[in-house]
Amino acid sequence: IHNALIYQHKYEIARSLQLELIPKVPLVAEGLEVGHKFLPAREVGGDYYDFIKIAPGKTGIVIADVAGSSVSAAIYTSMGRNVLRAYALEDHSPSDVHARLNRVACEETQPEVFISVFYAVFDSTERTFHYACAGHEPPILFRRDGSFETLRADGLLVGIRPDARYEEKSVSPESGSILVLFTDGVVTSPAVRDKFGVEQVKQIVAAGSLKPAQELADNVFEKLLQAAGSRVRDDVALVVLKVL
């Protein structure tokens, strides 16, 4: 009974932390129309996404996945979110934000804890995304001509090696382009293997490219659940950004 009470107390703390991690609806970002969906596989988990108002015309966009679906994962997720936000608000470049977050994670977390992160800064004046990636699923960009581009950038998972370096890239999509960010629960979960993945996401986006961002996110989420049935075992986080 004593152990159960201790666990329940930890669970309630972790659940409170996770509820604070999910952005409040509606999401707004200068120059972007935003859609999003989130489904934890268990009561607490390690997926999250965030939007950070850095300066007029500049918005930070984060999607991340902390290993595990437990109380400790939720606690480390909250820590990682707040550390990343602090560096982002100082207007550091995406690669520098990754490097700083990684050093803190290596110092402050357990050796078995690691985080995949994709962080981009959207400049609405230049209509450009500057981005870096730490072992996360690369987002996909749909252009108005019907082509797709995968936004890859080299970088180790956060929390593995304190001196890790992160490649930074940029892309300048035209108005009407759609950027889709997701965690691995959307495209690589064993529950949807051979039924749903990146190609299915591309098909949904291409077919519905004129639809609002939230409707696109809803459609991807609905098709994922149809493929997985009741066997969703991984957290699912999905963000759809339509360039205005």
Side-chain angles (χ1 to χ4, degrees):
I1 292 173
H2 178 68
N3 288 341
L5 289 172
I6 291 174
Y7 177 81
Q8 181 63 26
H9 180 61
K10 289 183 178 179
Y11 164 77
E12 289 171 357
I13 293 172
R15 183 61 174 164
S16 297
L17 289 170
Q18 188 171 54
L19 289 174
E20 290 301 315
L21 291 174
I22 305 305
K24 306 298 185 290
V25 179
L27 288 172
V28 292
E30 195 169 345
L32 297 170
E33 181 185 324
V34 182
H36 67 111
K37 297 296 287 187
F38 176 75
L39 175 67
R42 300 178 180 86
E43 291 84 353
V44 292
D47 286 17
Y48 87 94
Y49 46 87
D50 196 14
F51 286 73
I52 306 163
K53 181 70 172 179
I54 297 171
K58 294 180 72 173
T59 302
I61 302 124
V62 185
I63 190 162
D65 182 1
V66 178
S69 296
S70 63
V71 173
S72 61
I75 293 171
Y76 285 125
T77 301
S78 180
M79 183 204 75
R81 173 186 181 271
N82 291 328
V83 170
L84 191 151
R85 262 187 160 266
Y87 289 133
L89 287 169
E90 293 179 352
D91 204 6
H92 293 288
S93 68
S95 59
D96 195 26
V97 167
H98 275 73
R100 290 168 181 264
L101 172 63
N102 177 63
R103 287 195 292 270
V104 172
C106 288
E107 291 174 1
E108 301 296 334
T109 63
Q110 299 298 317
E112 67 275 10
V113 174
F114 52 88
I115 312 168
S116 73
V117 186
F118 181 91
Y119 172 58
V121 175
F122 180 69
D123 188 316
S124 62
T125 303
E126 299 177 356
R127 196 179 281 158
T128 299
F129 289 94
H130 300 274
Y131 64 92
C133 185
H136 195 80
E137 293 288 339
I140 54 175
L141 176 66
F142 172 80
R143 295 187 180 274
R144 291 178 61 182
D145 63 3
S147 65
F148 280 93
E149 180 178 349
T150 302
L151 303 193
R152 301 184 185 278
D154 292 337
L156 283 175
L157 291 161
V158 165
I160 292 181
R161 199 176 69 203
D163 61 347
R165 294 181 178 274
Y166 297 89
E167 181 181 20
E168 183 168 323
K169 293 184 176 181
S170 64
V171 63
S172 299
E174 64 277 8
S175 176
S177 298
I178 299 166
L179 182 63
V180 185
L181 304 91
F182 44 84
T183 53
D184 57 3
V186 175
V187 294
T188 62
S189 168
V192 296
R193 187 171 295 152
D194 301 325
K195 297 180 182 179
F196 194 89
V198 173
E199 290 306 313
Q200 283 70 33
V201 174
K202 288 181 177 180
Q203 291 170 15
I204 295 167
V205 171
S209 60
L210 299 180
K211 295 179 179 179
Q214 186 59 56
E215 187 174 346
L216 276 174
D218 292 340
N219 290 347
V220 172
F221 191 71
E222 180 182 352
K223 294 297 184 183
L224 170 65
L225 292 184
Q226 288 176 4
S230 60
R231 296 176 296 130
V232 177
R233 299 188 181 92
D234 295 324
D235 297 338
V236 171
L238 170 72
V239 175
V240 177
L241 305 174
K242 199 166 191 177
V243 180
L244 299 177

